[in-house]
DNA sequence: TGCTTTAAGGACTAATCAGTTCTATATTCA
DNA sequence: TGAATATAGAACTGATTAGTCCTTAAAGCA
């Protein structure tokens, strides 16, 4: 057993592919572009990833997992729950200053591109939304306990509201809205959940 | 001069094309699908619309103009500015019950698909955002005068905030979120701008 | 040395794509 | 009637697509 070991960096190849899909979408990204960016021959590509579609699904899953890990880490490391929320939103405007922050959300981009017609994509989207919502629900509940968010609000709905605004803000970033504009909106979002009572 | 008059309905053809692009996006929609839905021969298609890209740009422009006309009409016909805002958001959840309400926003879908790489698309997007924002700014200012929204808030930022949440909610609708969920979030959005003070 | 696997590259397939060209027919007005 | 335009349909082009196949070389381990 045991043959020649893989020469290229699998992680780097996935990242290169993800970056391309993230900027261009699935359909618009050609195999040639992938091979170029991933620095792979066609042979190595198909031996490792089977197909363009399969690679894409793996990139999506990895993106999902990574983003959830990042958020959990951010919540766990934050001084308070409301601080986590505040930081999450202010990061959106900071990131919008770099091209990499103007790619939107890979999963939302994909949902827009594929809409209803791909079950695997829909599954990954639902999993990601569920995980994200859970983290924000925890944060909101915690902020309610410490009195920063009104207890009259349903934490699940506030979480959905926050996720919705993040989707909107990331879309705006992809569309080219200024970092300043995104910062202003983000501030209003955070202020609104702090001051709002009764659902 | 004067030859045989056009037999097919131009308006209906545009609408059929727009519906297809709206659901599927530009790249994924093939010429064959367009000819089928528009009920046109290839000859008539190219004679009338020149190219797939040109038709798409016209569909986008028409969508932009129509949506702005609709919003202006809604604002003008509403009992009050805050009522216009409330109705706009409750319509989002009502529409999400029908498949036609789960297509998202054609312009935002297009921006996600094309991102930075198409100037004409970017222009239409900016025009639409500007018009939409202007209408909401008017509504917010009016609601501030009548005391329903705090005068400490910047109407331009509140307008941007509302546009952002609409984008987020329409994306969620396209992604398949339930009408109930959208209604809950929409209610929170409206409540948040009514109760929030200081920007 | 053999077995196994990776890698690189070139040739190729089969499908699909938007768009063009051509012929024949239909319908309007002057 | 005749000029002008619309319609229909078929044939075709040229480019691009993802994916397969095959050959040759390299690199690991037993």
């Amino acid at each position: 057993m045991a043959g020649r070991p893989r020469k290229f960096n699998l992680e780097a190849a996935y990242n290169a592919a993800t970056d391309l899909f993230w900027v261009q979408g699935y359909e618009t990204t050609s195999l040639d572009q992938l091979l170029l960016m991933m620095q792979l021959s066609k042979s190595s590509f198909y031996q490792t990833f089977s197909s363009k579609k399969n690679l894409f699904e793996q990139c999506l899953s990895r993106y999902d997992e990574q983003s959830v890990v990042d958020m959990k880490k951010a919540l766990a490391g934050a001084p308070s729950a409301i601080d986590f929320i505040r930081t999450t939103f202010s990061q959106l405007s900071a990131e919008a200053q770099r091209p990499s922050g103007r790619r939107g959300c890979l999963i939302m981009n994909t949902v827009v591109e594929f809409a209803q017609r791909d079950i695997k994509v829909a599954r990954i989207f639902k999993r990601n939304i569920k995980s994200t919502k859970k983290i924000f629900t925890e944060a909101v509940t915690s902020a309610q306990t410490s009195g920063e968010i009104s207890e009259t609000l349903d934490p699940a709905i506030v979480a959905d509201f926050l996720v919705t605004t993040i989707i909107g803000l990331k879309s705006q970033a992809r569309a080219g809205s200024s970092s300043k504009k995104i910062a202003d909106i983000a501030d209003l979002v955070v202020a609104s959940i702090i001051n709002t009572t009764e659902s």
Side-chain angles (χ1 to χ4, degrees), chain A:
Chain A
M1 357 216 92
R4 177 177 175 176
R6 181 180 288 122
K7 202 180 170 188
F8 68 92
N9 186 327
L10 192 63
E11 199 76 10
Y14 271 122
N15 290 341
T18 302
D19 284 350
L20 258 185
F21 287 134
W22 202 342
V23 173
Q24 303 186 334
Y26 175 76
E27 293 284 353
T28 320
T29 300
S30 73
L31 203 61
D32 287 347
Q33 288 179 309
L34 285 168
L35 298 182
L36 196 72
M37 292 294 287
M38 297 169 83
Q39 300 203 67
L40 288 182
S41 67
K42 209 170 243 192
S43 326
S44 301
F45 179 91
Y46 278 101
Q47 191 162 32
T48 313
F49 305 105
S50 304
S51 72
K52 180 190 167 189
K53 192 65 186 288
N54 181 62
L55 166 65
F56 180 66
E57 283 159 5
Q58 289 184 324
C59 287
L60 260 194
S61 274
R62 289 168 51 93
Y63 176 94
D64 163 46
E65 286 156 18
Q66 191 57 53
S67 73
V68 171
V69 164
D70 288 348
M71 272 188 298
K72 281 185 179 168
K73 219 178 275 177
L75 176 55
S80 73
I82 199 72
D83 199 83
F84 159 73
I85 293 173
R86 219 185 287 276
T87 304
T88 300
F89 278 84
S90 69
Q91 265 175 357
L92 288 177
S93 67
E95 283 165 3
Q97 290 175 328
R98 298 192 303 274
S100 64
R102 296 202 202 94
R103 295 174 295 186
C105 166
L106 174 59
I107 291 179
M108 281 312 299
N109 293 354
T110 303
V111 164
V112 168
E113 181 175 356
F114 286 84
Q116 68 282 67
R117 70 178 174 278
D118 192 298
I119 0 164
K120 290 191 182 175
V121 165
R123 222 185 334 250
I124 294 173
F125 164 74
K126 290 206 168 168
R127 193 208 309 163
N128 186 262
I129 281 283
K130 198 175 170 183
S131 311
T132 308
K133 184 184 169 175
K134 194 182 164 196
I135 294 168
F136 277 102
T137 306
E138 275 178 40
V140 170
T141 306
S142 168
Q144 286 179 319
T145 307
S146 60
E148 287 145 329
I149 293 179
S150 165
E151 296 215 337
T152 59
L153 296 174
D154 182 340
I157 295 177
V158 176
D160 279 333
F161 165 75
L162 293 174
V163 170
T164 301
T165 55
I166 289 173
I167 289 170
L169 287 170
K170 287 199 173 184
S171 300
Q172 292 244 36
R174 182 169 173 93
S177 294
S178 74
S179 173
K180 167 79 165 66
K181 184 173 177 175
I182 290 169
D184 285 342
I185 302 170
D187 286 345
L188 183 55
V189 168
V190 176
S192 76
I193 63 157
I194 291 180
N195 296 328
T196 298
T197 53
E198 96 192 19
S199 77

